[in-house]
Amino acid sequence: MNTSTDDDVSSFQTGFALCPDLVFPVRSVDDVVTAVRHAAGARLPVTVLATGHGLPGAVEGGALISTRRMDRVTIDPAARTARVQAGVRWGQVVEAAEPYGLAPLNGSAPGVGAVSYTLGGGLGILAKEFGYAADHVRSLDVVTADGQLRHVTEESELYWGLLGGGHRLGVVTELEIGLVPVRTLYGGSLAFDGREVDPADALRAYKEWTGTVPSTLTSSFAAVPYPDIPALPPHLRGRYVVSVRVAHTGADGGRLVAPLREMGPVLADSLREMPYAESHTIHSDPDVPHSYYGDSAMLGELDVERAAELLARTGPGAGAMVVVQINHLGGALARPAPNSVPYREGRFLLRLLTGGGRQQARELLDPAFRLLSATTLGRTVNFAFGAGDRTEGLYDAETRKRLAELESRYDPASLFGRRVSA
């Protein structure tokens, strides 16, 4: 095991300090076993870090296992699978699978860690057609709190708990995931100026439109008040931008999105046929580390009038930049699967993201989430950015109870952090 560097205590999320007592810069499964056994013997809580996009909060004390050096990807084109190590980022998997006409069920940002994303469920750009990334995991290799390496398949209770439960049951060192036969897609975004197109009207039109499209089309609605800074493209500076993002694997994408163009004058249009390797351009997520805080609400239904009030509160007059994103769910996401990803009955997912300190963000975002509390089923592990200290709502009661039983069995000393209470 090599000496750690500053990179091992750095994260894409810059808002939370990483100050562990010990850092284990692992390169192999044996290194992970050694790290877990040492931490268990010293009674040090363990944090696992690959890229740090979804860091739940600050790390003070304990042991940090940095997996970013474990970055091997292996494609089996005949079986349509990939084996990805713990530090692999989605961009690597997309690049490795592309020559075979295959694609993983990755998210919108290529720099996100593939393993942690999948353990949290994984709501990707093709989610309505193929479901959660967790639904396509063939097997996992995990080092549990007793320092044992276990190969886990669907027959194991650990399989159920890890896929949706995240890192609280061990350090996953490798996943075998299924790939899908997607070489190209129709995708991109339509953007509108919020001063020319009323955001509430745009949301109403978007919701109505989602009821007309097939499950081969995955989409989201976004509203972003951009600051007037030189780092942004001229067409975004100082504008309140409302947009719809689309990914469709069929041949009729142009026809399906035509109603969206009727919402008003288009500010920017990036919709096109593209190779899957360019799918990250659909959302064009920022790739520079920064500070942010966010949370989510899984909605049984989208109350457009209450959501319109939310847009008014989080728009340019909010006093801080708030990114609003509403994902359309259903389709394959609603299918049952042998994992602990909850709330499959959800119809929409609301995500709110802002900068600033945690307290300031909570004061801004919590009231906005309460506007839609009547239809909120719960929260989502993947999008609890800085809110990981709050476990309420992350799982339904039955899932929470079952995860708590697994934690008591496989990690009785709570080596891997805060428990899900039963």
Side-chain angles (χ1 to χ4, degrees):
M1 199 179 305
N2 290 6
T3 304
S4 64
T5 68
D6 290 343
D7 286 343
D8 292 301
V9 288
S10 66
S11 169
F12 187 84
Q13 161 65 278
T14 62
F16 305 113
L18 302 178
C19 303
D21 294 324
L22 282 176
V23 179
F24 293 94
V26 298
R27 291 183 176 273
S28 67
V29 172
D30 287 344
D31 286 348
V32 175
V33 169
T34 298
V36 170
R37 290 178 177 176
H38 182 95
R43 297 185 178 180
L44 293 173
V46 171
T47 299
V48 183
L49 181 70
T51 67
H53 276 71
L55 195 68
V59 175
E60 297 183 9
L64 185 146
I65 298 178
S66 172
T67 64
R68 59 190 56 180
R69 293 169 180 80
M70 297 179 67
D71 60 355
R72 186 178 66 247
V73 179
T74 306
I75 306 295
D76 184 337
R80 292 183 180 175
T81 61
R83 293 195 67 86
V84 296
Q85 287 190 309
V88 168
R89 302 174 186 228
W90 274 126
Q92 297 170 254
V93 190
V94 172
E95 182 180 0
E98 190 271 340
Y100 306 103
L102 300 172
L105 294 177
N106 56 287
S108 58
V112 168
V115 169
S116 293
Y117 164 97
T118 303
L119 297 183
L123 181 67
I125 57 176
L126 300 179
K128 277 202 65 184
E129 182 172 3
F130 297 106
Y132 288 99
D135 300 345
H136 294 260
V137 173
R138 306 291 181 84
S139 66
L140 311 91
D141 291 340
V142 58
V143 179
T144 47
D146 57 4
Q148 299 300 309
L149 174 65
R150 302 170 189 266
H151 182 70
V152 178
T153 60
E154 188 176 325
E155 293 73 27
S156 168
E157 60 190 353
L158 272 176
Y159 178 96
W160 179 90
L162 287 164
L163 294 171
H167 283 292
R168 58 173 49 88
L169 292 170
V171 182
V172 174
T173 60
E174 190 166 277
L175 294 178
E176 181 182 13
I177 60 174
L179 303 174
V180 295
V182 175
R183 186 182 294 274
T184 63
L185 54 76
Y186 180 85
S189 70
L190 278 179
F192 305 87
D193 189 328
R195 296 171 298 186
E196 298 179 348
V197 175
D198 182 82
D201 289 342
L203 181 58
R204 292 185 187 96
Y206 171 72
K207 183 187 177 184
E208 182 177 349
W209 174 77
T210 60
T212 69
V213 297
S215 60
T216 52
L217 191 151
T218 303
S219 68
S220 63
F221 173 95
V224 184
Y226 286 98
D228 187 3
I229 56 175
L232 290 171
H235 72 281
L236 297 180
R237 294 177 192 168
R239 294 181 186 266
Y240 184 35
V241 178
V242 175
S243 62
V244 177
R245 293 85 166 262
V246 170
H248 174 56
T249 59
D252 55 347
R255 178 185 64 80
L256 290 173
V257 303
L260 296 175
R261 301 182 186 280
E262 299 174 6
M263 292 197 304
V266 176
L267 177 65
D269 179 354
S270 66
L271 288 167
R272 68 194 189 280
E273 294 285 343
M274 66 175 73
Y276 193 81
E278 295 179 8
S279 61
H280 64 279
T281 64
I282 295 173
H283 290 75
S284 295
D285 292 328
D287 59 2
V288 177
H290 58 285
S291 174
Y292 48 95
Y293 178 98
D295 213 337
S296 62
M298 187 69 75
L299 306 176
E301 187 49 83
L302 179 62
D303 183 331
V304 175
E305 300 311 313
R306 301 288 279 176
E309 186 177 348
L310 181 147
L311 289 174
R313 291 195 188 184
T314 58
M321 180 179 176
V322 179
V323 177
V324 178
Q325 179 166 314
I326 299 174
N327 292 74
H328 181 218
L329 307 179
L333 293 165
R335 298 172 188 163
N339 55 50
S340 52
V341 180
Y343 307 124
R344 290 179 177 270
E345 69 274 29
R347 297 286 304 280
F348 292 89
L349 174 68
L350 168 66
R351 298 163 56 187
L352 300 179
L353 193 72
T354 188
R358 181 184 300 214
Q359 185 60 35
Q360 175 187 347
R362 290 284 294 272
E363 291 173 357
L364 179 62
L365 300 189
D366 284 1
F369 278 115
R370 283 197 291 270
L371 287 170
L372 295 174
S373 60
T375 58
T376 296
L377 304 174
R379 300 162 59 221
T380 304
V381 173
N382 276 147
F383 304 117
F385 298 132
D389 60 324
R390 299 167 55 212
T391 61
E392 66 272 13
L394 291 177
Y395 303 98
D396 59 87
E398 182 58 33
T399 300
R400 186 169 64 247
K401 178 182 178 182
R402 190 172 170 187
L403 282 172
E405 291 171 351
L406 287 175
E407 289 176 349
S408 297
R409 192 176 315 157
Y410 286 97
D411 185 15
S414 298
L415 185 68
F416 295 110
R418 186 173 180 177
R419 290 190 174 283
V420 176
S421 58

